PDB file of all heavy atoms in Angstrom:
ATOM      1  N   GLU A  41     -16.570   3.867 -18.968  1.00 97.00           N
ATOM      2  CA  GLU A  41     -16.772   2.877 -17.909  1.00 97.00           C
ATOM      3  C   GLU A  41     -17.025   1.514 -18.530  1.00 97.00           C
ATOM      4  O   GLU A  41     -17.683   1.408 -19.564  1.00 97.00           O
ATOM      5  CB  GLU A  41     -17.946   3.290 -17.024  1.00 97.00           C
ATOM      6  CG  GLU A  41     -17.672   4.594 -16.283  1.00 97.00           C
ATOM      7  CD  GLU A  41     -18.769   4.981 -15.318  1.00 97.00           C
ATOM      8  OE1 GLU A  41     -19.349   4.078 -14.689  1.00 97.00           O
ATOM      9  OE2 GLU A  41     -19.038   6.185 -15.202  1.00 97.00           O
ATOM     10  N   THR A  42     -16.489   0.477 -17.878  1.00 95.00           N
ATOM     11  CA  THR A  42     -16.618  -0.888 -18.382  1.00 95.00           C
ATOM     12  C   THR A  42     -16.963  -1.823 -17.238  1.00 95.00           C
ATOM     13  O   THR A  42     -16.402  -1.704 -16.143  1.00 95.00           O
ATOM     14  CB  THR A  42     -15.287  -1.357 -19.018  1.00 95.00           C
ATOM     15  OG1 THR A  42     -14.939  -0.459 -20.069  1.00 95.00           O
ATOM     16  CG2 THR A  42     -15.391  -2.769 -19.564  1.00 95.00           C
ATOM     17  N   GLU A  43     -17.887  -2.752 -17.501  1.00 96.00           N
ATOM     18  CA  GLU A  43     -18.094  -3.869 -16.566  1.00 96.00           C
ATOM     19  C   GLU A  43     -17.279  -5.030 -17.120  1.00 96.00           C
ATOM     20  O   GLU A  43     -17.495  -5.487 -18.238  1.00 96.00           O
ATOM     21  CB  GLU A  43     -19.562  -4.251 -16.461  1.00 96.00           C
ATOM     22  CG  GLU A  43     -19.765  -5.359 -15.442  1.00 96.00           C
ATOM     23  CD  GLU A  43     -21.212  -5.660 -15.146  1.00 96.00           C
ATOM     24  OE1 GLU A  43     -21.990  -4.708 -14.915  1.00 96.00           O
ATOM     25  OE2 GLU A  43     -21.557  -6.856 -15.145  1.00 96.00           O
ATOM     26  N   PHE A  44     -16.320  -5.498 -16.339  1.00 96.00           N
ATOM     27  CA  PHE A  44     -15.380  -6.507 -16.799  1.00 96.00           C
ATOM     28  C   PHE A  44     -15.885  -7.934 -16.624  1.00 96.00           C
ATOM     29  O   PHE A  44     -15.421  -8.838 -17.297  1.00 96.00           O
ATOM     30  CB  PHE A  44     -14.043  -6.351 -16.074  1.00 96.00           C
ATOM     31  CG  PHE A  44     -13.365  -5.044 -16.397  1.00 96.00           C
ATOM     32  CD1 PHE A  44     -13.340  -4.021 -15.459  1.00 96.00           C
ATOM     33  CD2 PHE A  44     -12.780  -4.823 -17.625  1.00 96.00           C
ATOM     34  CE1 PHE A  44     -12.728  -2.808 -15.742  1.00 96.00           C
ATOM     35  CE2 PHE A  44     -12.169  -3.618 -17.924  1.00 96.00           C
ATOM     36  CZ  PHE A  44     -12.140  -2.613 -16.975  1.00 96.00           C
ATOM     37  N   GLY A  45     -16.810  -8.145 -15.694  1.00 97.00           N
ATOM     38  CA  GLY A  45     -17.332  -9.482 -15.474  1.00 97.00           C
ATOM     39  C   GLY A  45     -17.508  -9.784 -14.004  1.00 97.00           C
ATOM     40  O   GLY A  45     -17.358  -8.906 -13.149  1.00 97.00           O
ATOM     41  N   SER A  46     -17.811 -11.048 -13.726  1.00 97.00           N
ATOM     42  CA  SER A  46     -18.127 -11.481 -12.356  1.00 97.00           C
ATOM     43  C   SER A  46     -17.308 -12.695 -11.967  1.00 97.00           C
ATOM     44  O   SER A  46     -16.736 -13.380 -12.820  1.00 97.00           O
ATOM     45  CB  SER A  46     -19.613 -11.828 -12.253  1.00 97.00           C
ATOM     46  OG  SER A  46     -20.392 -10.703 -12.548  1.00 97.00           O
ATOM     47  N   TYR A  47     -17.312 -12.952 -10.659  1.00 98.00           N
ATOM     48  CA  TYR A  47     -16.579 -14.090 -10.100  1.00 98.00           C
ATOM     49  C   TYR A  47     -17.373 -14.637  -8.923  1.00 98.00           C
ATOM     50  O   TYR A  47     -17.723 -13.885  -8.005  1.00 98.00           O
ATOM     51  CB  TYR A  47     -15.199 -13.639  -9.625  1.00 98.00           C
ATOM     52  CG  TYR A  47     -14.237 -14.763  -9.369  1.00 98.00           C
ATOM     53  CD1 TYR A  47     -13.264 -15.089 -10.302  1.00 98.00           C
ATOM     54  CD2 TYR A  47     -14.295 -15.519  -8.198  1.00 98.00           C
ATOM     55  CE1 TYR A  47     -12.368 -16.118 -10.082  1.00 98.00           C
ATOM     56  CE2 TYR A  47     -13.413 -16.552  -7.974  1.00 98.00           C
ATOM     57  CZ  TYR A  47     -12.453 -16.845  -8.926  1.00 98.00           C
ATOM     58  OH  TYR A  47     -11.570 -17.865  -8.698  1.00 98.00           O
ATOM     59  N   ASP A  48     -17.647 -15.936  -8.943  1.00 98.00           N
ATOM     60  CA  ASP A  48     -18.347 -16.594  -7.834  1.00 98.00           C
ATOM     61  C   ASP A  48     -17.333 -17.097  -6.821  1.00 98.00           C
ATOM     62  O   ASP A  48     -16.428 -17.860  -7.165  1.00 98.00           O
ATOM     63  CB  ASP A  48     -19.192 -17.762  -8.351  1.00 98.00           C
ATOM     64  CG  ASP A  48     -20.346 -17.296  -9.226  1.00 98.00           C
ATOM     65  OD1 ASP A  48     -20.893 -16.212  -8.956  1.00 98.00           O
ATOM     66  OD2 ASP A  48     -20.696 -18.015 -10.181  1.00 98.00           O
ATOM     67  N   VAL A  49     -17.490 -16.672  -5.577  1.00 98.00           N
ATOM     68  CA  VAL A  49     -16.570 -17.027  -4.503  1.00 98.00           C
ATOM     69  C   VAL A  49     -17.032 -18.336  -3.864  1.00 98.00           C
ATOM     70  O   VAL A  49     -18.172 -18.429  -3.402  1.00 98.00           O
ATOM     71  CB  VAL A  49     -16.520 -15.914  -3.430  1.00 98.00           C
ATOM     72  CG1 VAL A  49     -15.525 -16.254  -2.336  1.00 98.00           C
ATOM     73  CG2 VAL A  49     -16.219 -14.558  -4.072  1.00 98.00           C
ATOM     74  N   THR A  50     -16.142 -19.325  -3.842  1.00 98.00           N
ATOM     75  CA  THR A  50     -16.498 -20.609  -3.236  1.00 98.00           C
ATOM     76  C   THR A  50     -15.753 -20.813  -1.922  1.00 98.00           C
ATOM     77  O   THR A  50     -14.648 -20.306  -1.733  1.00 98.00           O
ATOM     78  CB  THR A  50     -16.174 -21.796  -4.166  1.00 98.00           C
ATOM     79  OG1 THR A  50     -14.740 -21.905  -4.303  1.00 98.00           O
ATOM     80  CG2 THR A  50     -16.828 -21.624  -5.539  1.00 98.00           C
ATOM     81  N   ARG A  51     -16.381 -21.552  -1.036  1.00 97.00           N
ATOM     82  CA  ARG A  51     -15.769 -21.893   0.251  1.00 97.00           C
ATOM     83  C   ARG A  51     -14.443 -22.630   0.047  1.00 97.00           C
ATOM     84  O   ARG A  51     -13.445 -22.330   0.710  1.00 97.00           O
ATOM     85  CB  ARG A  51     -16.745 -22.738   1.060  1.00 97.00           C
ATOM     86  CG  ARG A  51     -16.214 -23.191   2.393  1.00 97.00           C
ATOM     87  CD  ARG A  51     -17.247 -24.053   3.150  1.00 97.00           C
ATOM     88  NE  ARG A  51     -16.689 -24.551   4.387  1.00 97.00           N
ATOM     89  CZ  ARG A  51     -16.567 -23.845   5.507  1.00 97.00           C
ATOM     90  NH1 ARG A  51     -16.991 -22.593   5.538  1.00 97.00           N
ATOM     91  NH2 ARG A  51     -16.026 -24.368   6.581  1.00 97.00           N
ATOM     92  N   GLU A  52     -14.440 -23.587  -0.865  1.00 97.00           N
ATOM     93  CA  GLU A  52     -13.242 -24.388  -1.107  1.00 97.00           C
ATOM     94  C   GLU A  52     -12.070 -23.505  -1.534  1.00 97.00           C
ATOM     95  O   GLU A  52     -10.945 -23.682  -1.091  1.00 97.00           O
ATOM     96  CB  GLU A  52     -13.512 -25.454  -2.173  1.00 97.00           C
ATOM     97  CG  GLU A  52     -14.542 -26.488  -1.777  1.00 97.00           C
ATOM     98  CD  GLU A  52     -15.999 -25.993  -1.810  1.00 97.00           C
ATOM     99  OE1 GLU A  52     -16.321 -25.029  -2.545  1.00 97.00           O
ATOM    100  OE2 GLU A  52     -16.815 -26.557  -1.059  1.00 97.00           O
ATOM    101  N   GLU A  53     -12.348 -22.538  -2.415  1.00 97.00           N
ATOM    102  CA  GLU A  53     -11.291 -21.662  -2.887  1.00 97.00           C
ATOM    103  C   GLU A  53     -10.801 -20.717  -1.786  1.00 97.00           C
ATOM    104  O   GLU A  53      -9.606 -20.447  -1.677  1.00 97.00           O
ATOM    105  CB  GLU A  53     -11.783 -20.865  -4.096  1.00 97.00           C
ATOM    106  CG  GLU A  53     -10.675 -20.186  -4.839  1.00 97.00           C
ATOM    107  CD  GLU A  53     -11.128 -19.513  -6.119  1.00 97.00           C
ATOM    108  OE1 GLU A  53     -12.269 -19.733  -6.569  1.00 97.00           O
ATOM    109  OE2 GLU A  53     -10.319 -18.752  -6.665  1.00 97.00           O
ATOM    110  N   VAL A  54     -11.729 -20.226  -0.955  1.00 97.00           N
ATOM    111  CA  VAL A  54     -11.340 -19.368   0.174  1.00 97.00           C
ATOM    112  C   VAL A  54     -10.381 -20.116   1.089  1.00 97.00           C
ATOM    113  O   VAL A  54      -9.334 -19.601   1.482  1.00 97.00           O
ATOM    114  CB  VAL A  54     -12.591 -18.880   0.946  1.00 97.00           C
ATOM    115  CG1 VAL A  54     -12.209 -18.252   2.284  1.00 97.00           C
ATOM    116  CG2 VAL A  54     -13.388 -17.889   0.101  1.00 97.00           C
ATOM    117  N   LEU A  55     -10.717 -21.361   1.414  1.00 98.00           N
ATOM    118  CA  LEU A  55      -9.872 -22.171   2.298  1.00 98.00           C
ATOM    119  C   LEU A  55      -8.530 -22.495   1.643  1.00 98.00           C
ATOM    120  O   LEU A  55      -7.475 -22.409   2.289  1.00 98.00           O
ATOM    121  CB  LEU A  55     -10.603 -23.455   2.697  1.00 98.00           C
ATOM    122  CG  LEU A  55     -11.818 -23.257   3.609  1.00 98.00           C
ATOM    123  CD1 LEU A  55     -12.628 -24.546   3.714  1.00 98.00           C
ATOM    124  CD2 LEU A  55     -11.390 -22.761   4.983  1.00 98.00           C
ATOM    125  N   GLU A  56      -8.563 -22.873   0.373  1.00 98.00           N
ATOM    126  CA  GLU A  56      -7.318 -23.223  -0.330  1.00 98.00           C
ATOM    127  C   GLU A  56      -6.365 -22.034  -0.393  1.00 98.00           C
ATOM    128  O   GLU A  56      -5.175 -22.162  -0.121  1.00 98.00           O
ATOM    129  CB  GLU A  56      -7.639 -23.724  -1.736  1.00 98.00           C
ATOM    130  CG  GLU A  56      -6.417 -24.110  -2.536  1.00 98.00           C
ATOM    131  CD  GLU A  56      -6.754 -24.555  -3.949  1.00 98.00           C
ATOM    132  OE1 GLU A  56      -7.946 -24.671  -4.301  1.00 98.00           O
ATOM    133  OE2 GLU A  56      -5.802 -24.767  -4.713  1.00 98.00           O
ATOM    134  N   PHE A  57      -6.894 -20.859  -0.759  1.00 98.00           N
ATOM    135  CA  PHE A  57      -6.057 -19.664  -0.836  1.00 98.00           C
ATOM    136  C   PHE A  57      -5.478 -19.349   0.543  1.00 98.00           C
ATOM    137  O   PHE A  57      -4.282 -19.072   0.679  1.00 98.00           O
ATOM    138  CB  PHE A  57      -6.851 -18.464  -1.361  1.00 98.00           C
ATOM    139  CG  PHE A  57      -5.992 -17.253  -1.619  1.00 98.00           C
ATOM    140  CD1 PHE A  57      -5.495 -17.001  -2.879  1.00 98.00           C
ATOM    141  CD2 PHE A  57      -5.678 -16.370  -0.589  1.00 98.00           C
ATOM    142  CE1 PHE A  57      -4.680 -15.901  -3.115  1.00 98.00           C
ATOM    143  CE2 PHE A  57      -4.870 -15.272  -0.813  1.00 98.00           C
ATOM    144  CZ  PHE A  57      -4.366 -15.025  -2.090  1.00 98.00           C
ATOM    145  N   ALA A  58      -6.319 -19.393   1.565  1.00 98.00           N
ATOM    146  CA  ALA A  58      -5.872 -19.063   2.924  1.00 98.00           C
ATOM    147  C   ALA A  58      -4.784 -20.025   3.389  1.00 98.00           C
ATOM    148  O   ALA A  58      -3.792 -19.606   3.989  1.00 98.00           O
ATOM    149  CB  ALA A  58      -7.054 -19.077   3.880  1.00 98.00           C
ATOM    150  N   ARG A  59      -4.967 -21.310   3.138  1.00 98.00           N
ATOM    151  CA  ARG A  59      -3.946 -22.288   3.550  1.00 98.00           C
ATOM    152  C   ARG A  59      -2.603 -21.975   2.908  1.00 98.00           C
ATOM    153  O   ARG A  59      -1.566 -22.077   3.554  1.00 98.00           O
ATOM    154  CB  ARG A  59      -4.384 -23.711   3.189  1.00 98.00           C
ATOM    155  CG  ARG A  59      -5.380 -24.311   4.164  1.00 98.00           C
ATOM    156  CD  ARG A  59      -5.569 -25.812   3.951  1.00 98.00           C
ATOM    157  NE  ARG A  59      -6.260 -26.133   2.715  1.00 98.00           N
ATOM    158  CZ  ARG A  59      -7.584 -26.218   2.581  1.00 98.00           C
ATOM    159  NH1 ARG A  59      -8.380 -26.000   3.614  1.00 98.00           N
ATOM    160  NH2 ARG A  59      -8.114 -26.523   1.415  1.00 98.00           N
ATOM    161  N   LYS A  60      -2.624 -21.571   1.648  1.00 98.00           N
ATOM    162  CA  LYS A  60      -1.380 -21.320   0.921  1.00 98.00           C
ATOM    163  C   LYS A  60      -0.767 -19.956   1.210  1.00 98.00           C
ATOM    164  O   LYS A  60       0.457 -19.830   1.301  1.00 98.00           O
ATOM    165  CB  LYS A  60      -1.620 -21.410  -0.591  1.00 98.00           C
ATOM    166  CG  LYS A  60      -1.765 -22.798  -1.120  1.00 98.00           C
ATOM    167  CD  LYS A  60      -2.012 -22.714  -2.627  1.00 98.00           C
ATOM    168  CE  LYS A  60      -1.475 -23.918  -3.329  1.00 98.00           C
ATOM    169  NZ  LYS A  60      -1.701 -23.831  -4.782  1.00 98.00           N
TER     170      LYS A  60
END
Side-chain angles (χ1 to χ4, degrees):
E41 296 184 37
T42 302
E43 183 172 313
F44 296 106
S46 299
Y47 195 101
D48 293 326
V49 182
T50 68
R51 178 181 176 79
E52 296 75 24
E53 194 174 349
V54 167
L55 292 169
E56 180 182 354
F57 187 95
R59 280 192 291 272
K60 284 179 150 180

